[in-house]
Amino acid sequence: HVQLVESGGGSVQAGGSLRLSCVATGSVYSNVCTGWFRQPPGKQREAVAAVDINGRIRYSDSVKGRSTFSQDNAKKTLTLQMNSLKAEDTGMYYCAGQAGYCGSFQAKEYVVWGRGTQVTVS
């Protein structure tokens, strides 16, 4: 049984940076097929970045060039570094794992979810 716990969210001014972390607990953890999603206020959950079966990282167009997704397998930690933040980056950010289709940008593909960490950019 795997659990994911996010941290690192907060309130920042536009142009600032945040580093989100997601720690996995449990005896069964896979470092592939993970992803970051976000849910802006009043909108549906959308993909930010996802790792495919070969370890390649896909980024959504909205964050490409401004965000970096990394994983520390030994620490079972996923990290999302976000720079040059914009107001439209505001939302609840979730890490997710065990996607049925690795690298998917479809939230329904992911089995395990954290509770989220709030990011507010003003």
Side-chain angles (χ1 to χ4, degrees):
H1 180 65
V2 177
Q3 289 185 320
L4 303 175
V5 180
E6 303 94 336
S7 62
S11 296
V12 297
Q13 292 187 335
S17 299
L18 280 175
R19 187 177 182 87
L20 307 185
S21 295
C22 172
V23 178
T25 60
S27 58
V28 181
Y29 169 72
S30 172
N31 65 312
V32 297
C33 309
T34 56
W36 282 96
F37 286 75
R38 67 185 181 190
Q39 188 161 12
K43 297 184 179 181
Q44 290 187 337
R45 197 169 297 191
E46 61 186 27
V48 175
V51 182
D52 70 14
I53 194 68
N54 296 310
R56 291 185 296 246
I57 301 172
R58 299 175 62 206
Y59 295 96
S60 68
D61 289 342
S62 61
V63 303
K64 192 176 297 182
R66 301 188 295 120
S67 297
T68 303
F69 181 0
S70 59
Q71 299 190 109
D72 184 328
N73 300 331
K75 296 181 179 180
K76 297 183 179 180
T77 301
L78 314 176
T79 301
L80 182 67
Q81 175 70 42
M82 300 191 296
N83 302 318
S84 302
L85 285 164
K86 306 175 182 179
E88 49 263 44
D89 293 319
T90 293
M92 186 70 78
Y93 282 69
Y94 302 89
C95 61
Q98 297 183 6
Y101 181 78
C102 290
S104 174
F105 274 8
Q106 299 295 317
K108 63 181 181 180
E109 289 286 345
Y110 293 79
V111 175
V112 181
W113 290 86
R115 292 190 175 185
T117 185
Q118 177 68 38
V119 171
T120 303
V121 184
S122 59

